[in-house]
Amino acid sequence: MSRSVLYRCCFYLLALLCAGMGCQPRQKREIEFRFDPPFRKEYRYALTITSASLIRRYVNDVLTDTANKNITDSIRLDFTVKNIYDMDSILICKLTFHDFRKKIPQIRARIIGLPNGEQFVHSNPFALFDSVGYYIRGRSIQLVINRKGIVKRVDGIEDLIDRIAKGSHNQTSHVRRILSDYISENAMKDMLNRIFTVVPQATVQQAERWVRNVTLVTKAPVKISNLYTLTERSGDTAFIDIESIVSATQSEGGSVYMKGKQTGHAQVSYMSGMPIDYETSWETITSVTSHLYDVVNKEHFHLNRISSGSH
């Protein structure tokens, strides 16, 4: 038997054996939808958080139309995130600030009883916020983030606060107290966990759903129970609907004193897990035990990527 005939017989024999054993071509492994930004690639974002709280007063358990107080708050934060150290289960990312702005509410006051010739010197209590945007530019902190998008640690906040305090000629303790709701370890964790934990760290197909819970701790523990639905996947972009229950309790297992709902949507890179656009709105009601008043809070949270290039 010639060598060519022998090779041909061996090939047919292997083909028959493979068919009998049910051999199939190896399928390409589906990539997990997880937090996995490429090494050294920069992602620049603009985040706007606007909230409005309405204090509703009651008389004899009846809601009144008078003496209600409306409080608004709005901030904008521009920053860049870059993966600088990549390990199997966690990443170390560098977050660099570009700008911080806070909308200053109007202050109305009527001064009476000043002696003739005496001037009223007004010290703006919000002047510190004007300087933060200047002194924070180019400053960086480091984040330790796992593959589920959970920020486990924030390093460098203390040094950042010290630099802002020195630049604005304020005491560090004063700056830390004023900025605790916006620039602090807890505030940064709360902000980033909301947008990075959309990823399920699993393979998902269109119309699939998954649940992720986030607890905000900056002001008081607030639990956001998120139900995500992958409505569409176009190329690398995953389109996600968001439906959430927002709640807060007196203590673990205690009575609920604040509850509400949140809706929104997100566009996220499937390959990197980095958001392209993330937008939510919630409305909550906080009840006071005495039932003399309650607080209706509305919040609009919008992050969008403003850097150029591919996702």
Side-chain angles (χ1 to χ4, degrees):
M1 181 181 295
S2 67
R3 183 173 295 179
S4 61
V5 174
L6 179 62
Y7 287 161
R8 196 176 297 117
C9 291
C10 290
F11 176 79
Y12 288 137
L13 180 60
L14 287 172
L16 289 171
L17 287 172
C18 190
M21 295 173 63
C23 295
Q24 298 293 333
R26 180 176 292 180
Q27 299 292 326
K28 185 178 179 180
R29 181 177 176 270
E30 183 67 24
I31 298 174
E32 283 188 340
F33 188 16
R34 64 177 189 169
F35 187 79
D36 193 22
F39 183 65
R40 292 287 179 180
K41 184 171 183 177
E42 293 188 344
Y43 294 82
R44 183 163 179 172
Y45 295 101
L47 170 66
T48 303
I49 306 175
T50 304
S51 62
S53 297
L54 175 65
I55 301 176
R56 305 188 303 185
R57 304 188 185 280
Y58 292 82
V59 175
N60 297 326
D61 292 335
V62 177
L63 180 65
T64 64
D65 294 329
T66 60
N68 295 334
K69 185 177 181 181
N70 190 42
I71 304 171
T72 60
D73 188 30
S74 178
I75 67 162
R76 177 186 166 98
L77 189 65
D78 291 8
F79 60 93
T80 294
V81 177
K82 180 169 64 174
N83 172 12
I84 61 173
Y85 194 80
D86 199 330
M87 292 182 281
D88 289 339
S89 58
I90 63 170
L91 300 93
I92 298 177
C93 294
K94 180 180 180 181
L95 186 149
T96 302
F97 296 97
H98 301 295
D99 200 7
F100 173 89
R101 304 176 196 171
K102 177 174 171 59
K103 186 176 181 180
I104 308 302
Q106 292 183 348
I107 300 177
R108 297 178 180 178
R110 185 176 61 176
I111 308 300
I112 59 176
L114 287 178
N116 292 334
E118 184 173 334
Q119 294 182 350
F120 172 69
V121 179
H122 170 62
S123 177
N124 182 3
F126 301 102
L128 174 62
F129 292 117
D130 294 333
S131 64
V132 171
Y134 177 80
Y135 291 107
I136 204 172
R137 290 173 190 161
R139 304 296 182 186
S140 300
I141 57 176
Q142 284 193 172
L143 314 168
V144 178
I145 311 175
N146 66 18
R147 296 294 182 175
K148 291 183 178 181
I150 300 173
V151 179
K152 306 297 289 185
R153 197 173 76 233
V154 178
D155 297 323
I157 284 289
E158 294 301 315
D159 181 61
L160 178 66
I161 294 295
D162 287 340
R163 290 178 180 272
I164 293 174
K166 290 177 181 178
S168 59
H169 305 290
N170 279 276
Q171 293 183 352
T172 302
S173 58
H174 175 68
V175 173
R176 183 178 291 110
R177 184 173 63 254
I178 296 296
L179 296 182
S180 61
D181 290 344
Y182 313 102
I183 309 289
S184 66
E185 180 175 357
N186 285 337
M188 297 307 298
K189 283 183 177 180
D190 286 352
M191 177 189 77
L192 297 171
N193 284 338
R194 293 176 70 171
I195 57 181
F196 288 157
T197 58
V198 173
V199 295
Q201 198 186 16
T203 58
V204 291
Q205 304 297 328
Q206 185 167 322
E208 281 195 56
R209 296 182 172 187
W210 62 97
V211 175
R212 296 295 300 276
N213 297 326
V214 175
T215 299
L216 312 181
V217 298
T218 301
K219 297 180 181 179
V222 174
K223 182 180 179 181
I224 308 177
S225 300
N226 299 297
L227 174 63
Y228 299 117
T229 304
L230 180 61
T231 58
E232 181 184 353
R233 183 175 170 187
S234 178
D236 180 48
T237 304
F239 295 84
I240 300 167
D241 274 354
I242 304 171
E243 297 179 29
S244 315
I245 299 296
V246 184
S247 62
T249 58
Q250 297 286 355
S251 59
E252 188 171 349
S255 60
V256 176
Y257 69 87
M258 188 266 276
K259 58 183 177 181
K261 294 182 179 181
Q262 173 180 264
T263 59
H265 61 270
Q267 297 176 33
V268 183
S269 164
Y270 193 96
M271 294 292 293
S272 69
M274 295 297 286
I276 302 165
D277 188 86
Y278 177 100
E279 186 171 14
T280 57
S281 296
W282 82 25
E283 179 173 329
T284 63
I285 298 178
T286 300
S287 300
V288 180
T289 305
S290 62
H291 206 256
L292 296 177
Y293 65 91
D294 63 22
V295 181
V296 179
N297 177 263
K298 296 183 179 181
E299 183 203 76
H300 183 243
F301 185 106
H302 186 206
L303 174 125
N304 65 294
R305 186 177 173 194
I306 57 177
S307 57
S308 60
S310 60
H311 306 304

